[in-house]
Coordinates of all heavy atoms in Angstrom, one line a residue:
M55 N -27.0 4.1 1.0 CA -26.2 4.7 -0.1 C -24.7 4.7 0.3 O -24.4 5.0 1.4 CB -26.6 6.1 -0.3 CG -26.0 6.9 -1.4 SD -26.7 8.4 -1.7 CE -25.9 8.9 -3.1
D56 N -23.9 4.3 -0.6 CA -22.4 4.3 -0.3 C -21.9 5.7 -0.2 O -22.4 6.6 -0.9 CB -21.7 3.6 -1.4 CG -22.0 2.1 -1.4 OD1 -22.3 1.6 -0.4 OD2 -21.9 1.5 -2.6
K57 N -21.0 5.9 0.7 CA -20.3 7.2 0.8 C -19.1 7.3 -0.3 O -18.5 6.3 -0.5 CB -19.6 7.3 2.2 CG -20.5 7.2 3.4 CD -19.8 7.3 4.6 CE -20.5 6.6 5.8 NZ -19.6 6.6 7.0
P58 N -19.0 8.4 -0.8 CA -17.9 8.6 -1.8 C -16.6 8.6 -1.1 O -16.5 8.9 0.2 CB -18.1 10.0 -2.4 CG -19.0 10.7 -1.4 CD -19.8 9.6 -0.7
C59 N -15.6 8.1 -1.7 CA -14.2 8.1 -1.1 C -13.1 8.6 -2.1 O -13.4 8.6 -3.3 CB -13.9 6.7 -0.6 SG -13.8 5.4 -1.8
T60 N -12.0 9.0 -1.6 CA -11.0 9.5 -2.3 C -9.7 8.6 -2.1 O -9.3 8.4 -0.9 CB -10.7 10.9 -2.1 OG1 -11.8 11.7 -2.3 CG2 -9.5 11.5 -3.0
L61 N -9.0 8.2 -3.2 CA -7.8 7.4 -3.0 C -6.6 8.4 -3.0 O -6.5 9.2 -3.8 CB -7.6 6.5 -4.2 CG -6.3 5.6 -4.1 CD1 -6.2 4.7 -3.0 CD2 -6.0 4.9 -5.5
F62 N -5.8 8.3 -2.0 CA -4.7 9.2 -1.9 C -3.4 8.3 -2.0 O -3.3 7.3 -1.4 CB -4.5 9.9 -0.5 CG -5.7 10.8 -0.3 CD1 -6.9 10.4 0.4 CD2 -5.7 12.1 -0.7 CE1 -7.9 11.3 0.6 CE2 -6.6 13.0 -0.5 CZ -7.8 12.6 0.2
I63 N -2.4 8.8 -2.8 CA -1.2 8.2 -2.9 C -0.2 8.9 -1.9 O 0.0 10.1 -2.1 CB -0.6 8.3 -4.3 CG1 -1.5 7.7 -5.3 CG2 0.8 7.6 -4.4 CD1 -2.0 6.3 -5.2
E64 N 0.2 8.2 -0.9 CA 1.0 8.8 0.1 C 2.4 8.1 0.2 O 2.5 7.0 -0.1 CB 0.3 8.7 1.5 CG -1.1 9.4 1.5 CD -1.8 9.3 2.8 OE1 -1.1 9.0 3.8 OE2 -2.9 9.6 2.9
E65 N 3.3 8.8 0.8 CA 4.6 8.3 1.1 C 4.5 7.1 2.1 O 3.5 7.1 2.9 CB 5.5 9.3 1.7 CG 6.0 10.3 0.7 CD 7.1 11.3 1.2 OE1 7.7 10.9 2.2 OE2 7.2 12.3 0.7
F66 N 5.3 6.1 1.9 CA 5.3 4.9 2.8 C 5.6 5.2 4.2 O 6.6 5.9 4.6 CB 6.2 3.9 2.3 CG 6.3 2.6 3.0 CD1 5.1 1.8 3.1 CD2 7.4 2.2 3.7 CE1 5.1 0.6 3.8 CE2 7.5 0.9 4.3 CZ 6.3 0.2 4.4
D67 N 4.6 4.9 5.1 CA 4.8 5.1 6.5 C 4.7 3.7 7.2 O 3.7 3.1 7.3 CB 3.7 5.9 7.1 CG 3.7 6.0 8.6 OD1 4.6 5.7 9.3 OD2 2.5 6.3 9.1
P68 N 6.0 3.1 7.5 CA 5.9 1.7 8.0 C 5.1 1.4 9.3 O 4.4 0.5 9.3 CB 7.4 1.4 8.3 CG 8.1 2.4 7.4 CD 7.3 3.6 7.3
A69 N 5.1 2.4 10.1 CA 4.4 2.2 11.5 C 2.8 2.3 11.2 O 2.1 1.5 11.7 CB 4.9 3.2 12.5
G70 N 2.5 3.3 10.4 CA 1.0 3.4 10.1 C 0.5 2.3 9.2 O -0.6 1.8 9.5
W71 N 1.3 1.8 8.3 CA 0.9 0.7 7.5 C 0.8 -0.6 8.4 O -0.2 -1.3 8.3 CB 1.8 0.5 6.3 CG 1.4 -0.7 5.5 CD1 2.1 -1.8 5.3 CD2 0.2 -0.8 4.7 NE1 1.4 -2.6 4.3 CE2 0.4 -2.1 4.1 CE3 -0.9 0.1 4.4 CZ2 -0.7 -2.5 3.2 CZ3 -1.8 -0.4 3.6 CH2 -1.8 -1.7 3.0
M72 N 1.8 -0.8 9.3 CA 1.7 -1.9 10.1 C 0.5 -1.9 11.0 O -0.1 -2.9 11.2 CB 3.1 -2.1 10.9 CG 3.2 -3.3 11.7 SD 3.3 -4.7 10.6 CE 3.1 -6.0 11.7
G73 N 0.2 -0.7 11.5 CA -1.0 -0.6 12.4 C -2.3 -1.1 11.7 O -3.1 -1.7 12.2
F74 N -2.4 -0.6 10.5 CA -3.5 -1.0 9.6 C -3.5 -2.5 9.2 O -4.6 -3.2 9.5 CB -3.5 -0.2 8.3 CG -4.7 -0.5 7.3 CD1 -6.0 -0.4 7.7 CD2 -4.4 -1.1 6.0 CE1 -7.1 -0.7 6.9 CE2 -5.4 -1.5 5.2 CZ -6.8 -1.2 5.7
I75 N -2.4 -3.0 8.7 CA -2.5 -4.5 8.3 C -2.6 -5.5 9.6 O -3.1 -6.6 9.3 CB -1.3 -4.9 7.3 CG1 0.0 -4.8 8.1 CG2 -1.4 -4.1 6.0 CD1 1.1 -5.5 7.3
S76 N -2.1 -4.9 10.7 CA -2.3 -5.8 11.9 C -3.7 -6.1 12.3 O -4.0 -7.1 12.9 CB -1.5 -5.3 13.0 OG -2.1 -4.1 13.5
S77 N -4.6 -5.3 11.7 CA -6.0 -5.5 12.0 C -6.7 -6.4 10.9 O -7.9 -6.6 10.9 CB -6.8 -4.2 12.0 OG -6.8 -3.5 10.8
Q78 N -5.9 -6.8 9.8 CA -6.4 -7.6 8.7 C -6.0 -9.0 8.9 O -4.8 -9.3 8.7 CB -5.9 -7.0 7.5 CG -6.2 -5.5 7.2 CD -7.6 -5.3 7.0 OE1 -8.3 -6.0 6.5 NE2 -8.0 -4.1 7.6
P79 N -7.0 -9.9 9.2 CA -6.6 -11.3 9.5 C -6.0 -12.1 8.2 O -5.4 -13.0 8.4 CB -7.9 -12.0 9.9 CG -9.0 -10.9 9.4 CD -8.4 -9.6 9.3
D80 N -6.2 -11.5 7.0 CA -5.7 -12.2 5.8 C -4.4 -11.6 5.3 O -4.0 -11.9 4.2 CB -6.8 -12.1 4.7 CG -8.1 -12.8 5.0 OD1 -7.9 -13.8 5.8 OD2 -9.1 -12.5 4.5
A81 N -3.8 -10.7 6.1 CA -2.5 -10.2 5.6 C -1.5 -11.3 5.5 O -1.4 -12.2 6.2 CB -2.1 -9.1 6.6
H82 N -0.6 -11.2 4.4 CA 0.4 -12.1 4.1 C 1.8 -11.4 4.5 O 1.9 -10.2 4.6 CB 0.4 -12.3 2.7 CG -0.7 -13.2 2.3 ND1 -0.7 -14.6 2.2 CD2 -2.0 -12.9 1.9 CE1 -1.9 -15.1 1.9 NE2 -2.6 -14.1 1.6
P83 N 2.8 -12.2 4.4 CA 4.2 -11.5 4.6 C 4.5 -10.5 3.6 O 5.3 -9.5 3.8 CB 5.0 -12.7 4.6 CG 4.3 -13.9 5.0 CD 2.9 -13.7 4.5
F84 N 3.8 -10.6 2.4 CA 4.1 -9.7 1.4 C 3.6 -8.3 1.7 O 3.9 -7.3 1.1 CB 3.6 -10.0 0.0 CG 4.3 -11.3 -0.5 CD1 3.6 -12.5 -0.7 CD2 5.7 -11.3 -0.8 CE1 4.2 -13.6 -1.3 CE2 6.3 -12.4 -1.2 CZ 5.6 -13.6 -1.5
H85 N 2.6 -8.2 2.7 CA 2.1 -6.9 3.1 C 3.0 -6.2 4.2 O 2.8 -5.0 4.4 CB 0.7 -7.1 3.7 CG -0.4 -7.4 2.7 ND1 -0.7 -8.8 2.5 CD2 -1.1 -6.7 1.9 CE1 -1.6 -8.8 1.6 NE2 -1.9 -7.6 1.2
H86 N 3.8 -7.0 4.7 CA 4.6 -6.5 5.9 C 5.6 -5.4 5.5 O 6.2 -5.5 4.4 CB 5.4 -7.7 6.5 CG 5.9 -7.4 7.9 ND1 6.9 -6.7 8.2 CD2 5.4 -7.8 9.0 CE1 7.1 -6.6 9.5 NE2 6.1 -7.2 10.1
P87 N 5.8 -4.3 6.3 CA 6.7 -3.3 6.0 C 8.2 -3.8 5.7 O 8.9 -3.2 5.0 CB 6.7 -2.4 7.2 CG 5.4 -2.6 7.8 CD 5.1 -4.1 7.5
E88 N 8.6 -4.9 6.4 CA 9.9 -5.4 6.2 C 10.1 -6.0 4.7 O 11.1 -5.9 4.2 CB 10.3 -6.4 7.2 CG 10.5 -5.8 8.5 CD 11.1 -6.8 9.6 OE1 11.5 -7.9 9.2 OE2 10.9 -6.6 10.8
W89 N 9.1 -6.5 4.1 CA 9.1 -7.0 2.8 C 9.3 -5.8 1.9 O 10.0 -5.8 0.9 CB 7.9 -7.9 2.4 CG 7.8 -8.2 0.9 CD1 6.9 -7.7 0.1 CD2 8.7 -9.2 0.2 NE1 7.3 -8.4 -1.2 CE2 8.3 -9.1 -1.1 CE3 9.7 -9.9 0.6 CZ2 8.9 -10.0 -2.1 CZ3 10.4 -10.7 -0.3 CH2 10.0 -10.7 -1.6
I90 N 8.4 -4.8 2.1 CA 8.5 -3.6 1.2 C 9.9 -3.0 1.3 O 10.4 -2.5 0.3 CB 7.4 -2.6 1.7 CG1 6.0 -3.2 1.4 CG2 7.5 -1.3 1.0 CD1 4.8 -2.6 2.1
S91 N 10.4 -2.9 2.5 CA 11.8 -2.4 2.7 C 12.8 -3.2 1.9 O 13.8 -2.7 1.4 CB 12.1 -2.3 4.2 OG 11.3 -1.3 4.8
F92 N 12.7 -4.5 2.0 CA 13.5 -5.4 1.3 C 13.6 -5.1 -0.2 O 14.5 -5.0 -0.9 CB 13.1 -6.9 1.5 CG 13.8 -7.8 0.6 CD1 15.2 -8.2 1.0 CD2 13.2 -8.4 -0.5 CE1 15.8 -9.2 0.2 CE2 13.9 -9.3 -1.3 CZ 15.3 -9.6 -0.9
L93 N 12.3 -4.9 -0.8 CA 12.3 -4.6 -2.2 C 12.9 -3.2 -2.5 O 13.6 -3.1 -3.5 CB 10.7 -4.5 -2.7 CG 10.0 -5.8 -2.6 CD1 8.5 -5.5 -3.0 CD2 10.6 -6.8 -3.7
V94 N 12.7 -2.2 -1.6 CA 13.4 -0.9 -1.7 C 15.0 -1.1 -1.7 O 15.6 -0.6 -2.6 CB 13.0 0.0 -0.7 CG1 13.9 1.3 -0.7 CG2 11.5 0.4 -0.8
D95 N 15.5 -1.8 -0.8 CA 16.9 -2.1 -0.7 C 17.5 -2.9 -1.9 O 18.6 -2.5 -2.4 CB 17.3 -2.9 0.6 CG 17.0 -2.1 1.9 OD1 16.8 -0.9 1.8 OD2 16.8 -2.7 2.9
C96 N 16.7 -3.8 -2.4 CA 17.2 -4.6 -3.5 C 17.1 -4.0 -4.8 O 18.0 -4.1 -5.7 CB 16.5 -6.0 -3.5 SG 17.0 -7.1 -2.2
Y97 N 16.0 -3.3 -5.1 CA 15.7 -2.8 -6.4 C 15.7 -1.3 -6.6 O 15.6 -0.9 -7.7 CB 14.4 -3.4 -6.9 CG 14.5 -4.9 -6.9 CD1 13.8 -5.7 -5.9 CD2 15.2 -5.6 -7.9 CE1 14.0 -7.1 -5.9 CE2 15.3 -7.0 -7.9 CZ 14.7 -7.7 -6.9 OH 14.8 -9.1 -6.9
G98 N 15.7 -0.6 -5.4 CA 15.8 0.8 -5.5 C 14.5 1.5 -5.8 O 14.4 2.7 -6.1
Y99 N 13.4 0.7 -5.7 CA 12.0 1.3 -6.0 C 11.7 2.2 -4.8 O 12.1 2.1 -3.8 CB 11.0 0.2 -6.1 CG 11.1 -0.7 -7.2 CD1 10.9 -2.1 -7.0 CD2 11.7 -0.4 -8.4 CE1 11.1 -3.0 -8.0 CE2 11.8 -1.3 -9.5 CZ 11.6 -2.6 -9.2 OH 11.7 -3.4 -10.3
E100 N 10.8 3.2 -5.1 CA 10.3 4.0 -4.1 C 8.9 3.6 -3.6 O 8.0 3.5 -4.4 CB 10.1 5.5 -4.6 CG 11.4 6.2 -4.9 CD 11.3 7.6 -5.4 OE1 10.6 8.3 -4.7 OE2 11.8 8.0 -6.4
P101 N 8.7 3.3 -2.3 CA 7.5 2.8 -1.8 C 6.5 3.9 -1.5 O 6.8 5.0 -1.1 CB 7.9 2.1 -0.5 CG 9.0 3.0 0.1 CD 9.8 3.4 -1.2
Y102 N 5.2 3.6 -1.9 CA 4.0 4.5 -1.5 C 2.9 3.6 -1.0 O 3.0 2.4 -1.1 CB 3.7 5.3 -2.8 CG 4.7 6.2 -3.2 CD1 5.7 6.0 -4.0 CD2 4.5 7.5 -2.8 CE1 6.7 6.9 -4.4 CE2 5.4 8.6 -3.1 CZ 6.5 8.2 -4.0 OH 7.4 9.2 -4.4
L103 N 1.9 4.3 -0.5 CA 0.7 3.6 -0.2 C -0.5 4.3 -0.9 O -0.6 5.5 -0.8 CB 0.5 3.7 1.4 CG 1.6 3.0 2.2 CD1 1.4 3.4 3.7 CD2 1.5 1.5 2.1
G104 N -1.4 3.5 -1.5 CA -2.6 3.9 -1.9 C -3.6 3.8 -0.8 O -3.9 2.6 -0.4
L105 N -4.1 4.9 -0.3 CA -5.0 4.9 0.9 C -6.3 5.6 0.7 O -6.3 6.6 0.1 CB -4.2 5.5 2.1 CG -2.8 4.9 2.5 CD1 -2.2 5.8 3.6 CD2 -3.1 3.4 2.9
V106 N -7.3 5.0 1.5 CA -8.6 5.7 1.7 C -8.6 6.0 3.2 O -8.4 5.0 4.0 CB -9.7 5.0 1.2 CG1 -11.0 5.6 1.5 CG2 -9.6 4.7 -0.3
R107 N -8.9 7.2 3.6 CA -9.0 7.6 5.0 C -10.4 8.1 5.4 O -11.1 8.6 4.5 CB -7.9 8.6 5.4 CG -6.5 8.1 5.2 CD -5.5 9.2 5.7 NE -4.2 8.8 5.5 CZ -3.5 8.2 6.4 NH1 -4.1 8.0 7.7 NH2 -2.2 7.9 6.3
D108 N -10.8 7.8 6.6 CA -12.1 8.3 7.0 C -11.9 9.8 7.4 O -10.8 10.4 7.3 CB -12.7 7.5 8.2 CG -11.8 7.5 9.4 OD1 -10.9 8.3 9.7 OD2 -12.2 6.6 10.2
T109 N -13.0 10.5 7.9 CA -13.0 11.9 8.3 C -11.9 12.2 9.4 O -11.5 13.2 9.5 CB -14.3 12.5 8.6 OG1 -14.9 11.6 9.6 CG2 -15.2 12.4 7.3
A110 N -11.6 11.2 10.2 CA -10.7 11.3 11.4 C -9.2 11.0 10.9 O -8.4 11.2 11.7 CB -11.1 10.4 12.5
G111 N -9.1 10.6 9.7 CA -7.7 10.4 9.2 C -7.3 8.9 9.3 O -6.2 8.6 8.9
K112 N -8.2 8.0 9.8 CA -7.9 6.6 10.0 C -7.9 5.9 8.7 O -8.8 6.1 7.9 CB -8.8 6.0 11.0 CG -8.6 4.5 11.2 CD -9.6 4.0 12.2 CE -9.5 2.5 12.4 NZ -10.5 2.0 13.3
I113 N -6.9 5.0 8.4 CA -6.9 4.3 7.1 C -8.1 3.3 7.1 O -8.3 2.6 8.1 CB -5.6 3.5 7.0 CG1 -4.4 4.4 7.0 CG2 -5.6 2.6 5.7 CD1 -3.0 3.7 7.0
T114 N -8.9 3.3 6.1 CA -10.1 2.4 6.0 C -9.8 1.5 4.8 O -10.5 0.5 4.7 CB -11.3 3.2 5.7 OG1 -11.2 4.0 4.6 CG2 -11.6 4.1 6.9
A115 N -8.9 1.8 3.9 CA -8.6 0.9 2.8 C -7.1 1.1 2.4 O -6.7 2.4 2.5 CB -9.6 1.0 1.6
G116 N -6.4 0.2 1.9 CA -5.0 0.5 1.4 C -4.4 -0.6 0.6 O -4.8 -1.8 0.7
L117 N -3.4 -0.2 -0.1 CA -2.6 -1.1 -0.9 C -1.1 -0.5 -1.0 O -1.0 0.7 -1.3 CB -3.1 -1.3 -2.3 CG -2.4 -2.1 -3.3 CD1 -2.4 -3.5 -3.0 CD2 -3.0 -1.9 -4.7
P118 N -0.2 -1.3 -0.8 CA 1.2 -0.9 -0.9 C 1.6 -0.8 -2.4 O 1.1 -1.6 -3.3 CB 2.1 -1.8 -0.2 CG 1.2 -3.1 -0.2 CD -0.2 -2.7 -0.2
L119 N 2.3 0.3 -2.8 CA 2.7 0.5 -4.2 C 4.1 0.8 -4.3 O 4.8 1.2 -3.4 CB 1.9 1.7 -4.8 CG 0.4 1.6 -4.7 CD1 -0.2 2.9 -5.0 CD2 -0.1 0.6 -5.7
M120 N 4.7 0.6 -5.5 CA 6.1 1.0 -5.8 C 6.0 1.9 -7.0 O 5.4 1.7 -8.0 CB 6.9 -0.2 -6.1 CG 7.2 -1.2 -5.0 SD 8.3 -0.3 -3.8 CE 8.3 -1.6 -2.5
Q121 N 6.9 2.9 -7.0 CA 7.2 3.8 -8.1 C 8.3 3.1 -8.8 O 9.4 3.2 -8.2 CB 7.5 5.2 -7.7 CG 7.7 6.1 -8.9 CD 7.9 7.5 -8.6 OE1 7.2 8.1 -7.6 NE2 8.8 8.2 -9.2
T122 N 8.1 2.6 -9.9 CA 9.1 1.8 -10.6 C 9.8 2.6 -11.8 O 10.8 2.2 -12.3 CB 8.6 0.5 -11.3 OG1 7.6 0.9 -12.2 CG2 8.1 -0.4 -10.3
G123 N 9.3 3.7 -12.1 CA 9.9 4.5 -13.1 C 8.9 5.7 -13.4 O 8.0 5.9 -12.6
S124 N 9.2 6.5 -14.3 CA 8.3 7.6 -14.5 C 8.3 7.9 -16.0 O 9.4 7.7 -16.8 CB 8.7 8.8 -13.7 OG 9.9 9.3 -14.1
F125 N 7.2 8.4 -16.5 CA 7.2 8.9 -17.8 C 7.4 10.5 -17.6 O 7.2 11.0 -16.6 CB 5.8 8.8 -18.4 CG 5.4 7.3 -18.6 CD1 4.5 6.7 -17.7 CD2 6.0 6.6 -19.6 CE1 4.2 5.3 -17.9 CE2 5.7 5.2 -19.7 CZ 4.8 4.6 -18.8
P126 N 7.8 11.2 -18.7 CA 8.0 12.6 -18.6 C 6.8 13.3 -18.0 O 5.7 13.2 -18.5 CB 8.3 13.0 -20.0 CG 8.9 11.8 -20.7 CD 8.1 10.7 -20.0
G127 N 7.0 13.9 -16.8 CA 5.9 14.6 -16.2 C 4.9 13.8 -15.4 O 4.0 14.3 -14.9
R128 N 5.0 12.5 -15.4 CA 4.2 11.6 -14.7 C 4.9 10.5 -13.8 O 6.0 10.1 -14.2 CB 3.3 10.8 -15.7 CG 2.3 11.6 -16.4 CD 1.3 10.5 -17.0 NE 0.8 11.0 -18.3 CZ 0.1 10.2 -19.0 NH1 0.0 8.9 -18.8 NH2 -0.3 10.5 -20.2
R129 N 4.2 10.1 -12.8 CA 4.8 8.9 -12.1 C 4.1 7.7 -12.4 O 2.9 7.7 -12.9 CB 4.5 9.2 -10.5 CG 5.2 10.4 -10.1 CD 5.0 10.5 -8.5 NE 5.7 11.7 -8.1 CZ 5.7 12.1 -6.9 NH1 5.0 11.4 -5.9 NH2 6.3 13.2 -6.5
K130 N 4.8 6.5 -12.3 CA 4.3 5.3 -12.5 C 4.2 4.3 -11.3 O 5.4 4.0 -10.8 CB 5.0 4.6 -13.6 CG 4.5 3.2 -14.0 CD 5.4 2.6 -15.1 CE 4.9 1.2 -15.4 NZ 5.8 0.4 -16.3
W131 N 3.1 4.0 -10.8 CA 3.0 3.2 -9.6 C 2.4 1.8 -10.0 O 1.6 1.7 -10.9 CB 2.0 3.7 -8.6 CG 2.6 5.0 -8.0 CD1 3.6 5.1 -7.1 CD2 2.1 6.3 -8.1 NE1 3.8 6.4 -6.7 CE2 2.8 7.2 -7.3 CE3 1.0 6.9 -8.8 CZ2 2.6 8.5 -7.2 CZ3 0.8 8.2 -8.8 CH2 1.6 9.0 -7.9
V132 N 3.0 0.8 -9.4 CA 2.6 -0.6 -9.7 C 2.4 -1.3 -8.3 O 2.9 -0.9 -7.3 CB 3.6 -1.4 -10.5 CG1 3.8 -0.8 -11.9 CG2 5.0 -1.5 -9.8
S133 N 1.6 -2.4 -8.4 CA 1.5 -3.3 -7.1 C 2.9 -3.8 -6.8 O 3.8 -3.8 -7.7 CB 0.5 -4.4 -7.3 OG 0.8 -5.2 -8.4
L134 N 3.1 -4.4 -5.7 CA 4.5 -4.8 -5.3 C 5.0 -5.8 -6.2 O 4.4 -7.0 -6.4 CB 4.4 -5.4 -3.9 CG 4.1 -4.4 -2.8 CD1 4.3 -5.1 -1.4 CD2 4.9 -3.2 -2.8
P135 N 6.1 -5.6 -6.9 CA 6.7 -6.6 -7.7 C 7.4 -7.7 -6.9 O 7.6 -7.5 -5.8 CB 7.8 -5.8 -8.5 CG 8.1 -4.6 -7.6 CD 6.9 -4.3 -6.8
F136 N 7.5 -8.9 -7.5 CA 8.0 -10.0 -7.0 C 7.3 -10.5 -5.6 O 7.9 -11.1 -4.7 CB 9.6 -9.8 -6.6 CG 10.3 -9.2 -7.8 CD1 10.7 -7.9 -7.7 CD2 10.6 -10.1 -8.9 CE1 11.4 -7.4 -8.9 CE2 11.2 -9.5 -10.0 CZ 11.7 -8.2 -9.9
S137 N 6.0 -10.2 -5.6 CA 5.2 -10.6 -4.5 C 4.1 -11.4 -5.0 O 3.3 -11.0 -5.9 CB 4.6 -9.4 -3.8 OG 5.6 -8.5 -3.3
D138 N 4.0 -12.7 -4.5 CA 3.0 -13.6 -5.1 C 1.6 -13.2 -4.8 O 0.7 -13.5 -5.7 CB 3.2 -15.0 -4.5 CG 4.6 -15.6 -4.9 OD1 5.1 -15.2 -6.0 OD2 5.1 -16.5 -4.2
H139 N 1.3 -12.6 -3.7 CA -0.1 -12.3 -3.3 C -0.1 -11.1 -2.4 O 0.6 -11.1 -1.3 CB -0.7 -13.5 -2.6 CG -2.1 -13.2 -2.4 ND1 -3.1 -13.3 -3.3 CD2 -2.8 -12.9 -1.2 CE1 -4.3 -13.1 -2.8 NE2 -4.1 -12.8 -1.5
C140 N -0.6 -9.9 -2.9 CA -0.6 -8.7 -2.0 C -1.9 -7.9 -2.3 O -1.8 -6.9 -3.0 CB 0.7 -8.0 -2.2 SG 0.9 -6.7 -1.0
R141 N -3.0 -8.4 -2.0 CA -4.4 -7.8 -2.3 C -4.5 -6.5 -1.5 O -4.0 -6.4 -0.4 CB -5.4 -8.7 -2.2 CG -5.8 -9.0 -0.8 CD -7.0 -10.0 -0.7 NE -7.6 -10.1 0.6 CZ -8.5 -9.3 1.3 NH1 -8.9 -8.2 0.5 NH2 -8.8 -9.5 2.4
P142 N -5.4 -5.7 -2.0 CA -5.7 -4.5 -1.2 C -6.6 -4.9 0.0 O -7.3 -5.9 -0.1 CB -6.5 -3.6 -2.1 CG -6.9 -4.5 -3.3 CD -6.0 -5.6 -3.3
F143 N -6.6 -4.1 1.1 CA -7.5 -4.4 2.2 C -8.4 -3.3 2.4 O -8.1 -2.0 2.1 CB -6.7 -4.5 3.5 CG -6.0 -5.9 3.5 CD1 -4.5 -6.0 3.6 CD2 -6.7 -7.2 3.6 CE1 -4.0 -7.2 3.6 CE2 -6.0 -8.3 3.6 CZ -4.7 -8.4 3.6
F144 N -9.5 -3.5 3.1 CA -10.5 -2.5 3.4 C -11.3 -2.9 4.6 O -11.5 -4.1 4.8 CB -11.4 -2.1 2.3 CG -12.2 -3.3 1.8 CD1 -13.5 -3.6 2.2 CD2 -11.6 -4.1 0.8 CE1 -14.1 -4.7 1.8 CE2 -12.3 -5.2 0.3 CZ -13.6 -5.5 0.9
N145 N -11.6 -1.9 5.4 CA -12.5 -2.2 6.6 C -13.9 -2.0 6.1 O -14.4 -1.1 5.5 CB -12.3 -1.2 7.8 CG -10.9 -1.4 8.4 OD1 -10.3 -2.5 8.3 ND2 -10.3 -0.4 8.9
T146 N -14.8 -2.9 6.6 CA -16.2 -3.0 6.2 C -17.0 -2.4 7.3 O -18.2 -2.3 7.2 CB -16.7 -4.3 5.8 OG1 -16.4 -5.2 6.9 CG2 -15.9 -4.8 4.6
E147 N -16.5 -1.9 8.5 CA -17.1 -1.5 9.6 C -17.9 -0.2 9.3 O -18.9 0.1 9.9 CB -16.2 -1.2 10.8 CG -15.4 -2.4 11.1 CD -14.1 -2.0 11.9 OE1 -13.8 -0.8 12.1 OE2 -13.5 -2.9 12.4
N148 N -17.3 0.7 8.5 CA -17.9 2.0 8.3 C -18.8 2.0 7.2 O -18.8 1.4 6.2 CB -16.8 3.0 8.0 CG -15.8 3.2 9.1 OD1 -16.2 2.8 10.3 ND2 -14.6 3.6 8.9

């Protein structure tokens, strides 16, 4: 039986994200924290991470996101703009 999981939207943590994607052999330059920082510098977007964590707090799945605007009372997150390929990653070990 699959374990239930919860997706958390968290502030961008470059070191934590780099630690996670460095374990992903299919990671592209678009997943790299420097690319995300470049988008922030150029377009003023706010970076976030959509993450699933295990009970110890270790990232088990994730996707970088950008807050591109907001509706009154709501936030709007999108996958990384201007990125040709940036799929979510997950660990299948657990």
